[in-house]
Amino acid sequence: MNKQELKGNWNILKGKMKQQYAELTDDDLTYVEGKEDELLGRLQEKTGETREKLMSKFSELLGKDQDAEKSDVA
């Protein structure tokens, strides 16, 4: 997942991350354009996950949503 995908899907990801990691607050999940690295740093600190693991998790969460949307359309 690249920064553009992260930006475009952040509202979906934010909700999913709050479900997965109860310790995350709205402040932890505040997206500011151009400060993606800062956001990932906050998430790494709170979750204990690596940057690569978080990016993988984001892709996984979006993939599940996209599959569900395809099923709803069919």
Side-chain angles (χ1 to χ4, degrees):
M1 167 172 289
N2 62 38
K3 289 180 181 181
Q4 190 66 22
E5 290 171 319
L6 180 65
K7 176 185 173 188
N9 294 297
W10 186 245
N11 286 330
I12 295 167
L13 286 170
K14 183 165 75 168
K16 298 274 183 195
M17 290 297 289
K18 284 174 100 174
Q19 289 174 356
Q20 294 263 322
Y21 300 97
E23 67 273 12
L24 294 176
T25 65
D26 287 333
D27 285 341
D28 294 328
L29 294 165
T30 299
Y31 178 89
V32 177
E33 190 167 355
K35 299 213 175 194
E36 295 85 0
D37 291 332
E38 185 179 313
L39 170 66
L40 288 169
R42 284 194 312 265
L43 294 176
Q44 283 180 273
E45 188 176 307
K46 283 283 194 150
T47 64
E49 302 285 0
T50 64
R51 179 187 180 99
E52 292 77 20
K53 179 74 174 175
L54 286 170
M55 295 303 279
S56 176
K57 175 65 78 176
F58 295 159
S59 293
E60 176 186 320
L61 292 172
L62 284 176
K64 288 181 181 177
D65 269 2
Q66 290 168 353
D67 290 343
E69 288 174 13
K70 289 177 187 174
S71 297
D72 290 343
V73 174

